[in-house]
Amino acid sequence: MYLSQINFNNFRCLKDDKLLFNRNFNLIYGKNGQGKTSLIEAVYFLATGKSFRTKKIKEMRKYNVHRTIVFGKFETNDGNKIIAIDVNEEKKDYYINKSKSKYIDYIGNLNVISFIPEDIELIVGNPNIRRGFFNYEISQARKDYLKSIVNFEKILKVRNKLIKENKTCCEIYEIYNKKFIEEGVNIIVHRREFIQKISVLLNFNYQKLFDKKAKLKLRYDCFLGDVEKKSKSELVEKFEEQCLKKMGRENFLGYSLLGPQKDDFVFELNGKNAKSYSSQGEKKSIIFSLKISEIDILMAEKNEYPIFIMDDISSYFDEIRKNSILDYFKNKKIQCFITSTQDLKIFGKKFIVDGGKTEVGE
Ligand SMILES: Nc1ncnc2c1ncn2[C@@H]1O[C@H](COP(=O)(O)OP(=O)(O)OP(=O)(O)O)[C@@H](O)[C@H]1O
């Protein structure tokens, strides 16, 4: 897919503008603090309804402004689409081809993969960060998964409330606990399948790009223990058993102690947990390989490349790695948005950002 145009209004420090993008490379170039990251953040926001650097909507709106609009046109194998997000105070309205849409239908239209310095948190940060990341990535490829996640969160809230109110002997609890287990197992099955697939690609891409001899694995650390070869009914059984075991303690504490909201994902380089043992350079390379693997997965599931966003390429990789990365995208003809404080010698279009204003460069 290819994002041909973006319009933004009151987005961070950016001067309101309409930009036309190149099909392959788009270099966003400028000094520090000029608005380069804000520009690719606007692209990411258009695609996902989220920012890659904040959870607070108000931070994306220009200071002291209540309303921000981002609008874009993109091409896919199925034809052209127009999408927009209208942010008014804390409320976001989504539009596809000028009709109002639900978030669940909006995401997955314009697929995007991003690579930003903060991504290192995917290895060193807490499990919550990894769960959020994989939830989003699996959802991009599979709508069913997103539905399960949304549904599960609602069920979990009710389950927690019933536990807190000492209602675990009531029939209503039985009903919700059954739903909790069913939807929980759906999530486990999706996660297991996705992680198995991406782990193979991850190892392949890491070896190809960074270290031929390394062995990289992504392990799904499910709260039910080893779930690799279990059937759906075996998972339900195991989940039910655990619910019974934990019931007393859940009643005592007043909330759910088990479920896929407790899962984690572990990167293992040469058999060792990357969080504790890998160097900074290895961690960056693992994350980059992960992002490339996501591109492969989206291509396999949707028969279309997502767009790719990369912030601050110069600070991430040395000259040789930078060139091999740029070659990778060039050969695959993936649309890229790359920010840099250095003028990279690449084909495509250059946007010079200065004080929030964007000019097309030579
Ligand atoms: N909501 C906002 N409204 C207006 N300005 C903002 C807002 N949020 C951040 N800024 C300002 O936007 C400026 C540009 O930030 P941005 O991170 O996009 O720059 P950058 O060119 O990517 O910088 P660097 O190369 O240092 O990463 C900063 O000076 C920041 O203070």
Side-chain angles (χ1 to χ4, degrees):
M1 52 186 54
Y2 144 60
L3 179 67
S4 54
Q5 178 185 326
I6 192 168
N7 299 42
F8 39 80
N9 185 252
N10 292 332
F11 195 89
R12 288 221 189 240
C13 66
L14 299 174
K15 303 264 184 295
D16 295 354
D17 213 342
K18 161 181 156 182
L19 301 175
L20 302 177
F21 292 125
N22 182 274
R23 216 167 242 289
N24 299 122
F25 276 115
N26 296 279
L27 175 66
I28 324 290
Y29 164 67
K31 295 191 197 116
N32 289 126
Q34 299 307 306
K36 303 183 296 300
T37 307
S38 303
L39 180 48
I40 58 165
E41 186 186 20
V43 172
Y44 188 87
F45 181 67
L46 176 71
T48 65
K50 292 183 195 310
S51 160
F52 50 66
R53 55 177 174 175
T54 181
K55 281 202 161 41
K56 295 184 187 143
I57 303 177
K58 90 167 200 248
E59 288 178 14
M60 280 181 283
R61 294 197 307 256
K62 184 162 282 184
Y63 299 143
N64 308 319
V65 166
H66 301 284
R67 195 167 176 201
T68 301
I69 300 172
V70 184
F71 164 99
K73 290 184 181 173
F74 66 99
E75 286 179 18
T76 70
N77 290 340
D78 304 330
N80 299 350
K81 280 188 187 166
I82 301 175
I83 51 174
I85 307 179
D86 182 349
V87 185
N88 204 337
E89 295 289 350
E90 291 301 300
K91 190 168 166 278
K92 285 185 260 182
D93 287 322
Y94 298 91
Y95 294 87
I96 306 172
N97 293 334
K98 299 189 177 162
S99 303
K100 209 163 174 180
S101 140
K102 285 188 193 148
Y103 174 68
I104 203 160
D105 298 320
Y106 185 89
I107 83 153
N109 276 286
L110 176 60
N111 291 127
V112 60
I113 304 289
S114 63
F115 184 64
I116 55 163
E118 291 81 354
D119 279 338
I120 212 78
E121 286 294 311
L122 283 173
I123 297 180
V124 300
N126 63 41
N128 209 15
I129 296 175
R130 281 181 287 283
R131 275 194 302 271
F133 170 79
F134 284 110
N135 280 349
Y136 182 73
E137 294 313 327
I138 305 173
S139 301
Q140 282 214 82
R142 294 165 183 199
K143 275 256 137 72
D144 281 2
Y145 181 76
L146 179 60
K147 282 186 189 146
S148 290
I149 289 287
V150 172
N151 201 21
F152 182 81
E153 274 166 13
K154 284 185 197 153
I155 298 167
L156 177 63
K157 251 192 203 158
V158 180
R159 188 177 189 268
N160 279 339
K161 191 166 175 277
L162 293 170
I163 295 174
K164 202 169 182 181
E165 291 168 356
N166 283 319
K167 291 189 177 149
T168 49
C169 297
C170 304
E171 201 183 330
I172 183 88
Y173 173 82
E174 286 296 316
I175 295 168
Y176 271 92
N177 197 46
K178 193 163 178 271
K179 288 185 188 186
F180 176 71
I181 293 171
E182 268 169 22
E183 209 58 283
V185 166
N186 288 338
I187 291 171
I188 294 170
V189 171
H190 274 296
R191 283 182 179 168
R192 176 177 71 182
E193 222 179 281
F194 184 85
I195 297 302
Q196 274 165 357
K197 264 193 197 164
I198 205 162
S199 185
V200 175
L201 292 166
L202 186 62
N203 186 47
F204 174 80
N205 286 320
Y206 190 87
Q207 289 181 345
K208 196 171 70 178
L209 281 161
F210 301 111
D211 183 353
K212 269 189 261 165
K213 291 189 196 129
K215 283 235 171 315
L216 178 59
K217 190 177 174 197
L218 178 60
R219 189 166 52 76
Y220 175 29
D221 193 1
C222 179
F223 75 99
L224 282 182
D226 183 8
V227 292
E228 214 156 304
K229 293 193 176 81
K230 296 224 165 9
S231 67
K232 238 178 158 172
S233 59
E234 284 172 323
L235 290 171
V236 168
E237 217 172 281
K238 206 167 175 196
F239 202 160
E240 282 169 349
E241 254 172 53
Q242 290 293 317
C243 281
L244 280 175
K245 251 194 197 165
K246 295 265 191 273
M247 202 174 188
R249 187 124 187 92
E250 286 189 330
N251 280 335
F252 176 72
L253 291 169
Y255 57 87
S256 302
L257 284 175
L258 77 174
Q261 77 283 9
K262 304 274 176 198
D263 282 347
D264 199 359
F265 306 87
V266 184
F267 295 89
E268 289 174 349
L269 185 61
N270 299 321
K272 297 241 178 330
N273 190 334
K275 183 175 183 171
S276 324
Y277 291 99
S278 294
S279 71
Q280 285 303 314
E282 284 168 339
K283 284 183 187 126
K284 286 179 196 173
S285 306
I286 292 172
I287 297 298
F288 190 78
S289 309
L290 175 71
K291 302 295 173 138
I292 297 293
S293 307
E294 285 175 66
I295 293 179
D296 293 340
I297 291 219
L298 278 174
M299 182 60 183
E301 301 259 346
K302 298 200 150 187
N303 197 25
E304 190 145 43
Y305 281 124
I307 63 171
F308 188 79
I309 282 173
M310 183 161 177
D311 196 17
D312 211 359
I313 189 170
S314 320
S315 71
Y316 245 108
F317 295 111
D318 58 28
E319 211 56 33
I320 299 170
R321 285 190 175 182
K322 207 157 63 191
N323 289 335
S324 82
I325 285 163
L326 294 175
D327 277 347
Y328 172 89
F329 288 113
K330 196 168 143 195
N331 293 335
K332 296 224 163 178
K333 295 196 168 26
I334 296 170
Q335 190 187 27
C336 287
F337 299 84
I338 295 179
T339 71
S340 179
T341 48
Q342 290 167 13
D343 191 0
L344 305 174
K345 303 269 169 294
I346 55 172
F347 292 102
K349 202 163 176 179
K350 189 175 9 170
F351 297 87
I352 302 160
V353 187
D354 187 6
K357 193 163 170 31
T358 309
E359 302 273 358
V360 177
E362 297 291 302

